[in-house]
Amino acid sequence: MLRRNKTARLLSPAIALALMAPAVYAPMALAQEDAADLEEIIVTGARGRPRTVSDSPVPVDVFDAADIEAISYTDTNDIIKTLVPSFNISRQPISDGATFIRPAALRGLPTDKTLVLVNSKRRHRAALVTTGGSGTQGPDMATIPAVAIQNIEVLRDGAAAQYGSDAIAGVINFLLKDNREGGSVSIDTGQYGEGDGASTTVQGNIGLPLGDNGFLSISGEFYEADQTTRAEQYCNGWFCLDYDNPDYNNFGGSRGGLLGTRKLYADGCLPGADARYREYCTNTHLANIGDGDVVQPWGQPDTEAVRMFFNAGIELDDNNELYGVGNFSDSTSNGSFFYRYPYNDVIEELREPDGSIYFPLEKHPGGFTPRFFGDVRDVSIVGGIRGEMDNSLSYDFSTRTGESEMQYTLKNTINPSMGPDSPTSFRPGDLVNSETQLQADFTYELDNGALLAFGASWMDESYDTVEGEEVSYRIGPYSDEDPHGLCTDEETKIAASRGSMSDVPTTNMPTALGMQAIANGSSLDCSNRLDPVYTAVAYGSNGFPGYSPQIADTYERNSWALYGDISGDVTDQLFLQAAVRYEDYDDFDAELVWKLAGQLDVTDNFGVRASLGTAFRAPTPGQQGHTSVSTILPDGFPVAAGLYPAGGSIGQALGAVPLKPEKSDNYTIGFTAQVMDTTDVTVDFYRIDVEDRTYIISNRPVSDDPTSGEAYQNFIALDGAGVASANTIGVVRYFTNGFNTSTQGMDIVATTPIEWGEMGTTTLTASFNFTENSFDTDPSKFLNAEDRFDFENFDPNWRGVITAQHEVNQLTLIGRVSYYGESINSNTGGDPLRYQTFDPIWYTDIEGQYRFNDMFQLSLGARNVWDEYPAQDAIGDYCCGRLYSSATGMDWQGAYYYGRLTVDF
């Protein structure tokens, strides 16, 4: 008999679409079947006639509540990552909103190319648009508490013809619990072997009756986790805080002569020196800068979250029922940005109106590390009615609305341009993504037994960038040189225009105000280009400037769709399906996509399956309308990086053109086999060709130096487009459809039970995925050499998970190993590129579960029990205390030990 944790086969994705039917359908559908005759049932997109996993024409992974409970993670993203090798997610600290909503990938494509459903209804997108790579904006699966889930079905095949835009890589469908009685409560607590990252999760579910024929299943979760730190003390050629490093107090570095005149600061670390210059040298002040023993921690953020879901249904009569699903989630996280050391273009001496010097160290002794807070609120409600008419036509009318809001707060930082008037805490603004959808789905069985599915959908979407508080984007006086007019500026302007800084002699003289300041004791020296009077600094809350009125905006659109789908058994051995979908967005041309799929049973134990289809994905409102200015440190120095909409005036001034939908072709072929009546094996090969791939271009420099070539042209473009203080922007980016890509690979899944008689049963499951990405057209116009290489080589091609679960009496033992294959990282660091090859790595998880009785169960276990870490950076690609690549899907937190008590009632 086929067992769980295997690649299943989707019941007609054709039937599929029409059926975005919520999970409440299950009792009605299955009541008509003899459970003893059924294998595992797939319900994704299959209303009316669920199919078994053995006769699906496309690959699906199916996991039930027991599979989910056997995973040590409580975050739904991590659960799927553990169960499905082709799904990857990374931990990205110091990455703006991606610190709080983690981007993921399925089959090598980002999560916004995977459609997420809850009870077969589309899940709304998160408010976050990531500011690198593909600029992902997809649903936040972390808002779905694991305790609410009855089954997870992962369709690993393109399905846009069934489900619409986004289903290029596949579909993930979460089917919620529908119990009308009983429930459970669990308490999970643990900590990393490093002694940090302690976390506690409390989850609960209760089922309640609604009348005689209805149910209300309510699930909730409280989660709290402390931050982790996997870093070393900040030490780079431009600034070093590690006493044991030879670079400590070495101020040569890349700033050379400029810092040579300020070596007073370095000498200030000597015993007896001015305390104003010694603050950063003493460990006692590190608490004012970062957290713990390092000024810049790298790891998971502090997090606290409350999440709730309900699933409800009530039968109106024998053929009709009402249903509803809803959620509320509120999570707060905070993490660090890059450490700002003295004289790093943010902490600079500034001349005040009276000629005295203001130094930001007065607010932040020793420098500062901005702390970034994100409050993510997510709500949704789905309601509908479904049933069967007298003419045997099944229907499902539904409506849904959902909203994701991300509220930002920035603390322990400054607005440098405001000088001494700057606060240290800011509200940079909010992001809000909202969706509303109306849908009608129908199915009808034809006389020949084929199933016809058809329907229509209308959806309204909006993306809102909410203005921050005024001080978070204020352009203060110190964003310009000599803001108070202490010196004449003719020679200064000449020097600046030549980009020559200190090597051009000036004859600047103090003005009347400057003379008065000097008379009062000021050290003002207008003839010295290095005098603080000529220092200009960035504007806005440093680390994440607030959304100004120029940036704050709302982008809205609506779309409608019609689809049809037919599927059926052509012979006893051959099942075929066909689907077509017409979709019309008011901001794009209409699209028509299609799909064909089939399953041929060659023998009772061997079958082949294949699918061929087209797909498209419309850029999200967020990708079209998102604007941000954030701080990056490409060479250790803070640079304001602007991301501008491709269709806006600023983006087009930089050379961008409005975005258009991605189009793709999807091919899958594979086989299913049962060996020796007990071992199930599936192998599927796939290829996804994406045309006009949506991606963010590589960083392009900006400079107001006329001799800087392209960088100066970018400055002229920004300034001409009306960007305030364009001279403070150091890097620009925008979305583009600049190139075509191919993603191809293979999935292998095998499952077998081993009977040991009185010693119990062991179930072995092995899942492996191979994926590689490549360019089909030349991307060099949009991506630099490093980004091009890393696109194809950074992620391991191979990933696998092998699980052994042994059950004997009341004891269950679980062992799991996760495999990540070889990968290669590059770093510009000059020409040509430098490379680092990362060897394959295995992670081992173990858990023991003991059920005392029907009510109590205790679990103890360890993740990454052998405390494995990937190799540390060896080519200088990461700075500022970072040891491991924070963008990798491989674990770099070390061993984690936990215990869990579950009470069922």
Side-chain angles (χ1 to χ4, degrees), residues 27 82 93 110 152-153 199 270 317 410 445 612 646 698 720 739 792 833 851 881:
T82 304
I152 303 174
E153 299 175 353
S199 66
L270 300 175
D317 53 42
L410 199 57
E445 185 171 352
L612 170 65
S698 297
F739 46 84
E792 296 182 317
L833 292 178
R851 178 161 289 282

Side-chain angles (χ1 to χ4, degrees), residues 135-397:
T136 296
Q137 187 192 7
D140 181 9
M141 289 182 286
T143 60
I144 307 172
V147 70
I149 303 170
Q150 184 65 42
N151 289 84
I152 303 174
E153 299 175 353
V154 182
L155 164 61
R156 293 177 282 106
D157 193 49
Q162 286 83 34
Y163 298 96
S165 180
D166 298 348
I168 289 180
V171 179
I172 300 176
N173 189 11
F174 297 93
L175 303 175
L176 304 181
K177 293 179 178 177
D178 56 5
N179 52 312
R180 55 179 278 126
E181 61 183 11
S184 65
V185 175
S186 67
I187 301 176
D188 184 301
T189 185
Q191 182 173 281
Y192 284 97
E194 295 281 349
D196 58 7
S199 66
T200 299
T201 305
V202 180
Q203 294 184 320
N205 167 267
I206 187 170
L208 303 171
L210 286 182
D212 295 332
N213 299 303
F215 72 92
L216 172 62
S217 183
I218 303 174
S219 302
E221 172 186 275
F222 171 78
Y223 172 75
E224 185 177 46
D226 297 334
Q227 78 167 37
T228 61
T229 300
R230 303 291 179 267
E232 62 185 3
Q233 184 59 284
Y234 192 106
C235 186
N236 295 92
W238 50 82
F239 196 86
C240 182
L241 284 174
D242 184 354
Y243 299 109
D244 299 324
N245 192 293
D247 285 333
Y248 179 66
N249 278 349
N250 173 15
F251 276 75
S254 59
R255 300 185 70 181
L258 179 61
L259 279 176
T261 63
R262 295 175 176 170
K263 198 169 185 300
L264 170 65
Y265 199 86
D267 295 339
C269 289
L270 300 175
D274 187 337
R276 180 170 69 121
Y277 297 105
R278 297 182 58 242
E279 295 284 3
Y280 78 97
C281 300
T282 59
N283 283 328
T284 58
H285 292 286
L286 293 180
N288 295 327
I289 305 171
D291 193 23
D293 295 330
V294 297
V295 296
Q296 188 170 311
W298 292 86
Q300 73 177 22
D302 286 309
T303 302
E304 184 174 301
V306 175
R307 302 180 174 112
M308 297 186 68
F309 245 98
F310 78 84
N311 184 25
I314 186 167
E315 294 183 18
L316 301 177
D317 53 42
D318 291 342
N319 296 317
N320 302 280
E321 62 178 340
L322 294 172
Y323 60 86
V325 175
N327 89 288
F328 171 80
S329 174
D330 190 342
S331 64
T332 300
S333 304
N334 70 88
S336 295
F337 277 166
F338 289 98
Y339 165 57
R340 271 61 167 168
Y341 54 85
Y343 294 111
N344 74 338
D345 294 338
V346 174
I347 303 176
E348 298 284 353
E349 294 179 341
L350 304 171
R351 286 284 181 194
E352 297 196 62
D354 63 357
S356 62
I357 291 179
Y358 164 72
F359 203 22
L361 289 187
E362 297 173 18
K363 292 183 182 292
H364 296 289
F368 64 92
T369 301
R371 294 290 291 181
F372 194 44
F373 296 75
D375 188 353
V376 182
R377 297 180 181 177
D378 187 285
V379 295
S380 68
I381 187 73
V382 178
I385 182 172
R386 65 166 167 261
E388 184 175 329
M389 301 179 184
D390 293 339
N391 60 1
S392 298
L393 177 70
S394 296
Y395 70 90
D396 183 352
F397 299 111

